[in-house]
Amino acid sequence: VLTDPRGVDPLRAGLADYLGRVRGVVADPARVMVTCGYSQGLGLVCHALHAAGARRIAVEHPSNPEYREIASRAGLEVVSIAVDECGIRIDELERADVDAVAVTPAHQDPTGVVLTSERRAALVSWLRARKAIAIEDDYDAEYRYDRAAVGALQGLEPDRVVYAGSASKILAPALRLGWLVLPPSLVDAVCDEKVLADRATASIEQHALADFLTRGELDRHLRRMRIVYRARRDAIVEALAKELPEARVRGIAAGLHVNVELPASDDERAIRDESYRRGIQFSTALGEYAPYADDALPTLMLGYARMPEPAIRIGVHELASAILATREGVSR
Ligand SMILES: Cc1ncc(COP(=O)(O)O)c(C=O)c1O
């Protein structure tokens, strides 16, 4: 029997059920494809769009430069569209003359905003009018702490939105498992790309995840981890308020990291280097992402997924003293 490039049947069925139930995704197993993570899924879709004649794709600004590179290597011209407090700017998108757009509606990466319902509706209208395709990176949707997450954009326009999910945040990034839910019109083209890329994702891991899903273990895991991560987020926000009152935590209560904005006079790179020397590692917005607007403030992206609360309190204390050291021009 030939390997199905979309993945093994039990996992595609399990994902269709899970995504419909938890994220409001319109998914039947026939349009589900298992990938080696979001990165691969994005590349496959970009290659398929390019093969079908697409030339330009919009991406959020700021957004992960690696994903811009993936789109560009698939032959698409990448156009940056600004993100404000309500998510991607649809007025700019309307003027951009693009065939597709890649978005992070549930929790914008890296600003941490959520795409408002007005913007979602405007995005869907634009997709229909333009006959364009959106790639929805449903990043962090399972980890929303203050309320139930907004349903997936795909549920509003399943024929024009490619839904993309990943096990990286909900289970482990080392698994290298992700999934796409494709508009019917793209299934064959993306299957062709998947065959050329790697034939299909490894089946043993797929069967293991299917088993985990169908026994309800993923639901249980997420229920448990939401409580754990929420406590960690509260601990980091509290410790920052105490140790660094001049810092501002940006973005909604979601995900596995907080964005911490510092006063303009702080030196983001010096703080990162001094913190690394003290054993604290994190990304910075200007350092690793396409820059924010010119007036962007220094921003630290502090991950808390792997740190219990006492370690978080110690880490933030040490971070505050690293920041102080950079302000005083001394290092330890
Ligand atoms: C914005 C964003 N989307 C998706 C992912 C998941 O990517 P992958 O499935 O390739 O690990 C990540 C990585 O953690 C991410 O930062």
Side-chain angles (χ1 to χ4, degrees), residues 4-311:
D4 188 327
R6 294 173 301 179
V8 304
D9 290 348
L11 182 55
R12 287 191 292 114
L15 284 169
D17 169 67
Y18 169 77
L19 295 171
R21 189 162 49 77
V22 174
R23 301 294 302 129
V25 172
V26 176
D28 64 88
R31 52 158 94 184
V32 175
M33 172 182 279
V34 181
T35 64
C36 303
Y38 175 69
S39 321
Q40 184 186 41
L42 174 68
L44 297 174
V45 173
C46 288
H47 276 280
L49 290 173
H50 184 258
R55 288 295 165 261
R56 285 158 61 88
I57 185 169
V59 302
E60 296 164 327
H61 180 76
S63 64
N64 189 328
E66 225 169 78
Y67 299 148
R68 303 169 65 99
E69 184 71 19
I70 287 172
S72 145
R73 291 203 186 191
L76 297 172
E77 190 185 332
V78 176
V79 180
S80 293
I81 304 290
V83 168
D84 63 21
E85 292 301 314
C86 301
I88 191 168
R89 291 267 305 266
I90 310 300
D91 55 332
E92 280 195 23
L93 184 62
E94 284 164 352
R95 292 193 295 270
D97 187 27
V98 292
D99 309 293
V101 59
V103 282
T104 48
H107 193 209
Q108 205 274 333
D109 174 54
T111 62
V113 301
V114 68
L115 191 66
T116 60
S117 49
E118 293 79 12
R119 291 276 172 94
R120 278 166 199 262
L123 177 52
V124 166
S125 301
W126 175 81
L127 287 170
R128 288 180 184 148
R130 176 85 194 173
K131 298 189 175 13
I133 292 288
I135 302 160
E136 172 178 29
D137 175 2
D138 197 32
Y139 155 81
D140 276 349
E142 279 89 347
Y143 294 132
R144 175 96 198 229
Y145 308 118
D146 52 344
R147 67 183 75 165
V150 188
L153 179 72
Q154 191 265 7
L156 301 176
E157 185 53 37
D159 289 343
R160 303 225 150 264
V161 178
V162 175
Y163 176 92
S166 167
S168 289
K169 295 278 166 92
I170 59 178
L171 281 171
L175 273 174
R176 305 315 308 146
L177 281 175
W179 37 91
L180 298 172
V181 183
L182 296 158
S185 62
L186 277 174
V187 172
D188 288 347
V190 176
C191 280
D192 291 347
E193 297 299 333
K194 178 69 174 162
V195 170
L196 294 176
D198 58 7
R199 180 72 240 168
T201 295
S203 318
I204 294 172
E205 288 84 345
Q206 291 190 59
H207 282 294
L209 179 58
D211 179 58
F212 194 71
L213 262 176
T214 47
R215 284 190 292 109
E217 289 296 338
L218 183 63
D219 293 285
R220 266 192 285 282
H221 170 73
L222 289 172
R223 272 201 299 277
R224 201 163 47 228
M225 294 318 287
R226 265 193 290 271
I227 294 167
V228 170
Y229 291 144
R230 190 200 168 120
R232 290 178 185 177
R233 187 179 191 279
D234 289 348
I236 201 165
V237 170
E238 216 169 274
L240 285 163
K242 176 164 163 254
E243 305 269 356
L244 279 167
E246 67 278 29
R248 191 170 153 226
V249 173
R250 301 289 309 270
I252 56 168
L256 303 177
H257 72 270
V258 286
N259 285 353
V260 181
E261 235 172 42
L262 293 171
S265 53
D266 274 328
D267 180 339
E268 194 190 88
R269 175 172 296 229
I271 290 171
R272 192 187 59 178
D273 293 349
E274 179 60 22
S275 303
Y276 275 22
R277 266 195 289 282
R278 297 166 183 241
I280 307 168
Q281 297 192 4
F282 49 83
S283 301
T284 53
L286 297 175
E288 272 142 85
Y289 280 70
Y292 280 87
D294 295 338
D295 59 353
L297 293 169
T299 303
L300 316 182
M301 306 174 75
L302 305 179
Y304 48 82
R306 288 191 300 175
M307 294 172 77
E309 288 96 293

